Amino acid sequence: MTHASDYARRVGVKPRWRGRGISILNGVVGDYLDRRVNGLAIAMAFVQDGRPLAVTAQGLRAAQPALSRKLVILVHGWCCDETVWRFPHEAATYATKLQVDAGYTPFSVRYNTGLPVGQSGQDLARLLRALIAAYPLPIDEIVLIGHSMGGLVIRAACHVGSETGDRWVDAVNRIFYIATPLDGADLARFAHGATLALSVLPNPIARLVGNVLDVRSRGVKDLRTGGSVASDGESGSTALAGLPWLASATHTLLVGTLTGNPHNLVSKTLGDGLVRVPAARDGRLKAPADVTVFPGLHHLQLAHDAAVYAAIRRRCTTKG
Amino acid sequence: MRRSTRRELEGLTELVVDGVHAAAAEAERAHAAIARYPYAILTRVTPLRAPVRAVEFVQQTITGIVYRTIHVAADVAGAVVATAIAVRARRHEDQE
């Protein structure tokens, strides 16, 4: 019998702990790693079986023997990698399940979650442009599924794609934002407030703790407001929360609560542990969005849960 | 050793060395600020001012040397590890 780690070594797949460790490092100090061109910095890519996928017609055919005209693309959240989508005790993800149930061709993105959300959005737009150019079949439909920060990156990519007139944008017809802090996360706001407070206290230890807290990446700092994208022709930036929603797509927010009762104080205050339901339902969203709440599912569980998948499949197999 | 593994090990080494530098710099800043409190109080007593300043100078010089040693040791350790990684990678390439 071959041990799993032996197999991983033979085919060149990193052990899971190593991949996760690198993803966490990228989430915490990814902007520094990128700036220093450090070997641990993750470059955005589609990945399959733990390895980057060559975005060429040949590479795509080799990776997916049965390509279809419908694509589903998964974008993970902060400090995670594509393994966050795996169901417990099986290799399936929402994307591979959609392949079996509805004929979609699955893709998973891996990226440096410590980079600003706007920059990751630009990278994703570029990656999707390359995918469309290399894809051997015409594409009828693209479904984008983002977990947590991944939803913000998708929103930024759609904005960039719309601004530059990318072809892939026209094919996007459904976007799922799973546990996405569309207008910011309370925990990130708390960290920002704590850093500010500690830095103004006239105490060297408090300032030291504040400085250590401030080391966190620009990606995680973006979670305070929901991120921003560079404004066209200006040096400033525009908050993602204030941008129009991609008109060609339907937008669905899937959020969880820590307790079984979404109306009790714990659920209302903490949401899924990181993202509150009211944040997702905030009036500022003003989107043709439908919101589904999954009581009893915490932030990470939402990335690989049967009930969440059922909600996604229902929408993907329904016309309109 | 795979090329990606080598790149990651080199990256990790650089990250640890940079982390030690940053942590030592922050600790030195906090250390200096805390140490200044008693000296500030004692220098208000006029007869003590000159000896206290002398003691403060000696203390600052010693702690400065200690922190500089930490920076140098981090650079040396980083260089040793980077060399070891390069040697190991070359040996691996030769074996292949």
Side-chain angles (χ1 to χ4, degrees):
Chain A
M1 196 172 72
T2 312
H3 194 272
S5 62
D6 292 338
Y7 169 77
R9 206 173 299 127
R10 208 156 21 86
V11 300
V13 178
K14 285 177 192 143
R16 195 180 284 190
W17 61 266
R18 195 165 126 197
R20 283 192 181 159
I22 292 172
S23 296
I24 291 169
L25 271 180
N26 273 261
V28 178
V29 289
D31 51 346
Y32 149 84
L33 296 175
D34 185 66
R35 205 169 47 244
R36 295 291 303 258
V37 202
N38 187 295
L40 293 170
I42 296 172
M44 184 180 276
F46 291 117
V47 282
Q48 194 178 30
D49 299 329
R51 281 183 293 185
L53 188 64
V55 187
T56 59
Q58 202 179 2
L60 294 169
R61 280 198 192 281
Q64 300 281 351
L67 295 172
S68 75
R69 295 163 71 126
K70 301 193 294 183
L71 314 184
V72 56
I73 293 159
L74 303 177
V75 185
H76 61 76
W78 181 65
C79 277
C80 293
D81 62 14
E82 70 284 358
T83 58
V84 75
W85 298 107
R86 280 194 207 151
F87 277 72
H89 315 301
E90 54 178 316
T93 64
Y94 294 152
T96 58
K97 280 179 178 279
L98 278 176
Q99 182 177 34
V100 174
D101 295 343
Y104 285 85
T105 302
F107 290 96
S108 258
V109 172
R110 187 196 290 166
Y111 67 104
N112 177 348
T113 57
L115 293 178
V117 166
Q119 190 177 331
S120 294
Q122 283 182 352
D123 291 344
L124 181 60
R126 206 174 300 130
L127 191 64
L128 290 172
R129 204 178 302 145
L131 177 68
I132 296 297
Y135 206 74
L137 301 176
I139 293 167
D140 297 336
E141 194 183 315
I142 297 177
V143 172
L144 299 171
I145 304 178
H147 177 245
S148 193
M149 179 190 272
L152 299 175
V153 172
I154 287 173
R155 197 144 145 64
C158 288
H159 174 73
V160 173
S162 301
E163 293 280 297
T164 51
D166 279 348
R167 276 195 301 137
W168 63 265
V169 177
D170 301 329
V172 175
N173 70 336
R174 279 183 199 283
I175 305 178
F176 294 93
Y177 307 89
I178 302 173
T180 296
L182 290 165
D183 58 350
D186 288 340
L187 194 62
R189 278 192 277 266
F190 173 77
H192 177 74
T195 309
L196 274 183
L198 288 167
S199 64
V200 296
L201 283 175
N203 180 296
I205 298 293
R207 210 167 297 152
L208 176 69
V209 175
N211 289 348
V212 171
L213 263 181
D214 201 39
V215 167
R216 67 198 193 284
S217 67
R218 286 182 63 196
V220 69
K221 284 177 181 168
D222 270 356
L223 291 178
R224 182 171 65 91
T225 57
S228 58
V229 284
S231 300
D232 195 26
E234 294 168 30
S235 56
S237 59
T238 309
L240 278 177
L243 290 175
W245 295 72
L246 187 66
S248 62
T250 59
H251 302 266
T252 304
L253 314 181
L254 305 171
V255 288
T257 57
L258 283 178
T259 66
N261 178 3
H263 304 294
N264 72 19
L265 189 65
V266 175
S267 291
K268 280 185 174 171
T269 317
L270 299 174
D272 65 11
L274 290 173
V275 176
R276 273 193 298 139
V277 177
R281 281 183 162 162
D282 194 291
R284 276 189 292 162
L285 292 177
K286 285 179 189 153
D290 66 311
V291 181
T292 304
V293 181
F294 297 89
L297 286 186
H298 67 66
H299 193 70
L300 286 178
Q301 274 178 313
L302 287 156
H304 46 254
D305 182 82
V308 176
Y309 173 65
I312 293 171
R313 186 187 56 194
R314 197 168 49 248
R315 284 165 177 85
C316 287
T317 52
T318 307
K319 289 278 175 206
Chain B
M1 187 188 289
R2 303 179 72 82
R3 200 171 296 167
S4 63
T5 306
R6 180 181 173 175
R7 235 185 13 248
E8 286 166 8
L9 286 174
E10 286 169 345
L12 186 62
T13 307
E14 188 187 305
L15 178 66
V16 171
V17 171
D18 284 356
V20 171
H21 284 310
E26 283 297 332
E28 186 175 9
R29 236 188 318 268
H31 191 165
I34 293 165
R36 213 165 290 136
Y37 286 134
Y39 294 126
I41 293 166
L42 289 170
T43 48
R44 281 184 207 152
V45 184
T46 314
L48 292 178
R49 192 170 294 158
V52 165
R53 282 197 178 140
V55 171
E56 185 178 13
F57 175 76
V58 172
Q59 182 263 322
Q60 280 177 349
T61 307
I62 292 170
T63 49
I65 291 168
V66 170
Y67 283 108
R68 264 197 296 279
T69 308
I70 293 171
H71 288 292
V72 171
D75 282 336
V76 170
V80 169
V81 173
T83 308
I85 292 168
V87 168
R88 177 91 196 267
R90 202 169 307 136
R91 203 173 293 160
H92 194 262
E93 278 170 20
D94 292 344
Q95 280 170 1
E96 282 179 345

